[in-house]
Amino acid sequence: MAKDEIKVLTPIGMLGYGIPENFLRMGAEMAPDVIALDSGSTDSGPQKLGLGHMTCSREAYERDLAMLLAVGHERKIPIYISSAGGDGTNAHVDVFLDIIKEISRAKRYRFRAAAIYSEIPKQRVADELRNGRIAPCGPVEPLNEHEIDASTTIVAQMGAEPFLAALERHGDLDIIVSGRAYDPAPIAALGLKAGFDPALCWHMGKIMECGALCAEPNGRAIFGTLRRDHFELEPVNPAERCTEMSVAAHTLYEKSHPFLLPGPGGTLDLSHCHYQQMNDRRVRVSGSEFIPANPYTLKLEGAKKVGCRSIFIGGVRDPILIGAIDGLLPAVKDHVREFFADVPSDNYQLIFHVYGKNGVMGELEPLRDPTSHELCIIGEAAAITQELATAICGRARTALLHAPYPGKMATAGNLALPFTPLEIPLGEVCAFNVYHLMEVDSPTELFPIELVEI
């Protein structure tokens, strides 16, 4: 018999960020059909994908997964996890599976799990590029084969279809761990499998993927109930509440358009959406629409290594120097350029970030003449080697420390340096160089699925 509702618990907006065990268990008592949560994002930059790092430590994932597995085992609730490790590479899917196996051996759990992999061979990407099936995603340069080769790893952001394929192929599963996925995919999957309105499935997933950020005050665990013509959201923590305003506002989170949300397979249209307060803590959402896309496209993500970075951090309190800073920093750059005249200019880059004066928005700052009694200056040097980056960073720091400027009264020492070493090496620098849409004939063909008996 078809179900009239699907209940989903998302205990936190990002696996590894610290699931609150008390609210996880409170949410489990509300009898969800699935515990679904995301583990990935490009928000923290290209280093994870470029260098093979995870967003959180293995210990952080072990802590969160141990709680999820305990609750899933006790109450027989399936667990769906996407974008393993943050970037969703094959290696990080396997890391998550290893953690699950270790915990299960220690606790004597038994699970049927599916692993879904999302890495795309470079040759396949190059072939599709030559076939004219790859285009930029947003304001990026057209892709070329040099950038494909330069990327360390390329993943594709899957939709919900690989989750559905895993369930169709292997029946009821206790756990699904996927590679890179559209953030709402694991939350939307069960509703889509049961034939619910795709618009409602995706909209509920899009809000719930961040946990209870849609609540007042912002929280972590959120409970969603999907029905045939609407869905309802309620935070698990009784000290939080969802309101029409908080839920509608979070729908705008990380969006380039207030109503149109493109994703794998189509666009979510929220221009006729309605938010209704059902009680003090629960909101009903209806009116979402989904516009299927033809052809079906997947977002590719790839990163390359571009050099190394060093920084220094300094504080300025002298009001005379603060007043002269706009003219002084270009002079420091000129000094560094002259000092390293034998180094090709394309082998390094020097950037100053001035916090307290347009440090966040830079040239886009609408308040053109902010006043501050102190500034934080971060000098950032990127170069082809760590040694060169540190040398450039050190020359910039000493030049700024001792440089003359109009009205100067002290001989030196107007830059306070809180850390040693004064030049801080940050290691390799990466850049996203594949951020493009690729047409596919099938939304599942690029994502291998493996059954894992744990």
Side-chain angles (χ1 to χ4, degrees):
M1 182 178 296
K3 297 189 66 169
D4 292 326
E5 63 181 28
I6 299 288
K7 295 183 287 185
V8 182
L9 170 63
T10 297
I12 198 163
M14 180 78 74
L15 182 69
Y17 278 14
I19 292 174
E21 184 173 10
N22 55 335
F23 298 131
L24 170 63
R25 292 193 171 276
M26 286 175 62
E29 291 174 1
M30 299 165 72
D33 297 291
V34 65
I35 299 173
L37 67 167
D38 179 50
S39 182
S41 176
T42 57
D43 289 357
S44 54
Q47 309 300 102
K48 299 189 300 292
L49 191 56
L51 302 179
H53 297 164
M54 294 193 294
T55 298
C56 302
S57 67
R58 184 183 176 103
E59 291 76 15
Y61 291 126
E62 288 172 347
R63 176 191 178 278
D64 280 3
L65 284 169
M67 286 189 286
L68 289 174
L69 297 180
V71 170
H73 180 264
E74 292 168 11
R75 294 184 172 270
K76 308 303 180 187
I77 304 171
I79 301 166
Y80 299 169
I81 299 168
S82 62
S83 297
D87 56 7
T89 60
N90 293 359
H92 291 159
V93 171
D94 289 338
V95 168
F96 274 30
L97 290 174
D98 286 343
I99 294 172
I100 292 169
K101 290 175 182 177
E102 289 176 4
I103 295 169
S104 298
R105 278 196 296 268
K107 298 293 185 179
R108 304 183 68 82
Y109 298 152
R110 287 186 175 273
F111 297 113
R112 295 183 74 248
I116 309 175
Y117 295 96
S118 63
E119 286 186 25
I120 311 300
K122 293 182 183 180
Q123 187 59 53
R124 174 64 183 270
V125 178
D127 291 343
E128 298 297 354
L129 178 65
R130 286 191 289 269
N131 292 333
R133 303 184 78 189
I134 295 180
C137 179
V140 299
E141 295 294 324
L143 189 59
N144 59 62
E145 292 195 35
H146 172 76
E147 294 299 338
I148 295 172
D149 290 338
S151 61
T152 58
T153 306
I154 299 175
V155 296
Q157 194 183 69
M158 71 183 77
E161 291 87 351
F163 288 82
L164 304 182
L167 294 168
E168 181 178 355
R169 186 177 307 172
H170 298 296
D172 292 336
L173 291 164
D174 302 307
I175 298 170
I176 299 178
V177 176
S178 86
R180 188 69 173 112
Y182 185 44
D183 292 355
I187 300 169
L190 210 55
L192 292 169
K193 179 178 182 292
F196 284 72
D197 184 345
L200 296 174
C201 296
W202 286 118
H203 192 185
M204 187 174 87
K206 193 61 187 161
I207 298 175
M208 290 183 65
E209 57 156 294
C210 294
L213 284 185
C214 63
E216 296 179 353
N218 297 151
R220 289 186 279 182
I222 189 77
F223 197 91
T225 303
L226 175 68
R227 300 191 178 97
R228 295 294 172 179
D229 62 351
H230 68 268
F231 62 88
E232 294 183 355
L233 299 174
E234 180 178 353
V236 177
N237 184 351
E240 301 160 2
R241 59 193 294 261
C242 282
T243 69
E244 295 171 355
M245 181 64 73
S246 69
V247 174
H250 192 69
T251 298
L252 300 175
Y253 177 68
E254 296 183 328
K255 307 298 185 295
S256 59
H257 191 285
F259 299 128
L260 302 178
L261 283 61
T267 298
L268 190 60
D269 184 351
L270 307 180
S271 55
H272 299 102
C273 199
H274 180 66
Y275 303 87
Q276 181 181 2
Q277 197 76 44
M278 301 306 294
N279 62 24
D280 186 55
R281 303 182 61 250
R282 190 172 74 250
V283 167
R284 175 175 293 182
V285 182
S286 60
S288 314
E289 299 175 2
F290 186 75
I291 306 168
N294 187 21
Y296 194 107
T297 59
L298 295 168
K299 187 178 76 165
L300 303 178
E301 296 172 357
K304 64 179 180 180
K305 301 175 184 178
V306 295
C308 296
R309 176 187 287 128
S310 293
I311 65 170
F312 74 81
I313 301 174
V316 175
R317 178 63 177 78
D318 176 6
I320 302 173
L321 176 52
I322 291 173
I325 198 69
D326 288 343
L328 181 60
L329 294 180
V332 170
K333 286 188 175 183
D334 290 341
H335 170 84
V336 171
R337 190 177 303 111
E338 292 172 5
F339 189 87
F340 290 95
D342 59 330
V343 178
S345 59
D346 59 353
N347 281 6
Y348 73 91
Q349 187 177 24
L350 177 62
I351 302 171
F352 290 108
H353 307 273
V354 184
Y355 290 93
K357 187 171 187 178
N358 306 334
V360 176
M361 295 186 66
E363 295 180 355
L364 298 177
E365 176 57 60
L367 302 175
R368 298 310 306 164
D369 295 309
T371 58
S372 176
H373 70 277
E374 62 182 3
L375 302 176
C376 173
I377 299 176
I378 298 177
E380 174 191 358
I384 58 173
T385 67
Q386 188 70 72
E387 292 76 13
L388 181 58
T390 301
I392 290 169
C393 186
R395 175 51 54 176
R397 175 188 60 79
T398 56
L400 181 57
L401 182 65
H402 298 290
Y405 50 87
K408 183 177 180 180
M409 299 177 66
T411 55
N414 288 334
L415 185 70
L417 300 157
F419 299 115
T420 56
L422 301 175
E423 287 77 52
I424 305 168
L426 296 184
E428 289 183 291
V429 181
C430 296
F432 284 117
N433 65 330
V434 181
Y435 205 82
H436 296 74
L437 298 176
M438 183 172 76
E439 297 178 16
V440 293
D441 297 323
S442 164
T444 60
E445 62 177 310
L446 296 176
F447 305 107
I449 302 169
E450 294 184 8
L451 179 67
V452 184
E453 295 286 351
I454 299 174

